[in-house]
Amino acid sequence: MLNVGVLGAGHLGKIHLRLLNESTKYNLVGFYDPDVINGKKVAAEFGYTFFDNINKLIDAVDVIDIVTPTLSHFDCARRAMEKGKHVFIEKPITNTLEEAETLLALEKKHGVKGQVGHVERFNPAFMAVKENILNPMFIETHRLAEFNPRGTDVPVVLDLMIHDIDAILSVVNSEVKQINASGVSVISNSPDIANARIEFENGCVANLTASRISLKNMRKSRFFQRDAYISVDFLEKKVEVVKMKDAPEEPGDFDMILQNAEGVKKQIYFENPSIPINNAILDELETFADAINNNTTPVVTLEQGFKALKVALQIIKSF
């Protein structure tokens, strides 16, 4: 079991604390929070050990789990990595690209591992169909959320859309060619609604929409590729996989057949992959433990977190 410490005991930090405490792959040593009153309150309520000094906690563990506001991600990770500790960092990886590049250099210099908390990679619906997403040429995503004051310190692109940016980059094997985007501030000082069109070098186009002032929650992505349509509902944990193949010479009574203008006939069929029940946050934390123990590559590397941040900041810049 790896000794782990958590930095940050806010809403998400408390979830991480609970899951790490339950995990069979980690030994939760304690946590640090700059708000001493909150730290002592969380310690009294849940029984976790509160450290009032960040360096003492870092010294006492193998792994640091950073669940603090984005502005402090870099400083927390740098401190830990310079002491030879592995780091799990909530998304986005850092506030700036320069900070992320420094962490990539520190990871290499100190021989430690890092993972970014892009939790939708561990969404069971996405995991069930990811192997079916082979060469998508058009992608459409909608990530809509009801208003919540938490997260409004950053643009909706860094708060919500970055989930879809990371998921798209994980399935499109091509460099970004061009980005066009628009964003509107409605209730916050930063954009609350954003739309981005990402064009890739291989011709794939992704159209992303994110809003944090919607009347209902929605987290859907649709992937279109040659002879297939794949829909992922990240919120409801549901998928639709519709595929086409050459029609048989003698179709059955219930076969669905399409014929195009050239007379080519295709048979439509549906696949229903099984979707296991999981806890995505626990999975991302435990696969990181596996990567450390087995000396393998984490599922979401710091470099992938860097690339997602780079695209997100390009989107914001093009508003």
Side-chain angles (χ1 to χ4, degrees):
M1 292 174 75
L2 294 164
N3 289 325
V4 64
V6 177
L7 303 184
H11 173 74
L12 188 56
K14 282 189 275 193
I15 294 173
H16 278 231
L17 282 164
R18 176 176 59 80
L19 293 171
L20 288 169
N21 194 45
E22 294 172 359
S23 173
T24 58
K25 301 192 178 187
Y26 289 102
N27 169 46
L28 178 62
V29 173
F31 72 99
Y32 167 81
D33 193 290
D35 184 339
V36 176
I37 294 172
N38 180 58
K40 289 182 175 178
K41 181 183 174 186
V42 170
E45 187 175 349
F46 300 102
Y48 313 132
T49 303
F50 171 60
F51 284 68
D52 59 6
N53 182 298
I54 187 172
N55 291 316
K56 284 182 180 177
L57 178 60
I58 292 171
D59 288 339
V61 299
D62 308 306
V63 183
I64 282 291
D65 179 12
I66 301 166
V67 202
T68 60
T70 305
L71 285 172
S72 61
H73 283 187
F74 171 70
D75 184 56
C76 292
R78 180 184 55 77
R79 284 174 184 244
M81 293 166 90
E82 285 179 345
K83 292 194 172 191
K85 311 299 180 177
H86 306 288
V87 294
F88 182 97
I89 313 173
E90 257 311 319
K91 62 84 195 165
I93 179 172
T94 50
N95 192 48
T96 69
L97 283 181
E98 292 76 19
E99 289 174 345
E101 284 176 327
T102 301
L103 293 189
L104 287 172
L106 287 172
E107 180 185 37
K108 196 172 183 180
K109 179 182 177 182
H110 296 285
V112 294
K113 292 188 184 293
Q115 180 164 317
V116 183
H118 284 291
V119 71
E120 292 289 39
R121 292 271 207 107
F122 297 84
N123 187 300
F126 184 62
M127 291 173 73
V129 296
K130 190 178 178 188
E131 289 185 3
N132 284 300
I133 306 171
L134 300 173
N135 188 28
M137 295 311 291
F138 181 72
I139 303 168
E140 191 170 33
T141 73
H142 288 87
R143 187 166 292 262
L144 316 177
E146 296 174 7
F147 182 74
N148 184 336
R150 267 192 312 110
T152 54
D153 56 324
V154 294
V156 70
V157 175
L158 290 174
D159 182 25
L160 297 179
M161 190 184 282
I162 197 164
H163 284 295
D164 297 313
I165 293 169
D166 172 70
I168 288 169
L169 293 179
S170 76
V171 296
V172 178
N173 189 26
S174 179
E175 294 297 316
V176 172
K177 179 182 177 183
Q178 185 177 339
I179 293 175
N180 294 294
S182 59
V184 180
S185 300
V186 178
I187 198 167
S188 314
N189 291 326
S190 58
D192 297 301
I193 303 173
N195 176 262
R197 176 186 167 91
I198 304 173
E199 296 178 34
F200 292 89
E201 295 284 356
N202 69 349
C204 176
V205 173
N207 193 3
L208 299 80
T209 301
S211 168
R212 58 183 175 206
I213 52 167
S214 295
L215 295 176
K216 64 174 183 176
N217 294 321
M218 177 192 288
R219 305 201 313 248
K220 286 185 178 179
S221 295
R222 300 172 181 87
F223 302 86
F224 298 84
Q225 61 195 37
R226 182 74 180 171
D227 292 339
Y229 159 75
I230 299 159
S231 173
V232 182
D233 189 325
F234 289 90
L235 189 61
E236 300 293 333
K237 313 283 195 295
K238 294 177 180 176
V239 298
E240 284 182 339
V241 180
V242 184
K243 291 187 173 181
M244 287 191 293
K245 61 183 178 182
D246 291 336
E249 288 190 18
E250 295 184 16
D253 292 341
F254 299 103
D255 288 347
M256 294 179 66
I257 307 296
L258 286 181
Q259 182 173 326
N260 65 15
E262 289 76 34
V264 177
K265 293 181 179 180
K266 293 280 187 177
Q267 179 183 349
I268 296 175
Y269 65 102
F270 299 85
E271 288 186 357
N272 295 300
S274 60
I275 301 173
I277 297 170
N278 75 334
N279 184 309
I281 297 176
L282 179 62
D283 278 4
E284 66 178 354
L285 291 167
E286 292 199 331
T287 60
F288 185 47
D290 292 340
I292 294 167
N293 287 325
N294 301 325
N295 194 25
T296 54
T297 303
V299 176
V300 186
T301 63
L302 296 189
E303 186 173 0
Q304 290 171 334
F306 165 80
K307 288 180 177 177
L309 177 65
K310 185 178 181 180
V311 172
L313 292 177
Q314 282 180 272
I315 289 169
I316 293 167
K317 194 176 178 181
S318 62
F319 286 163

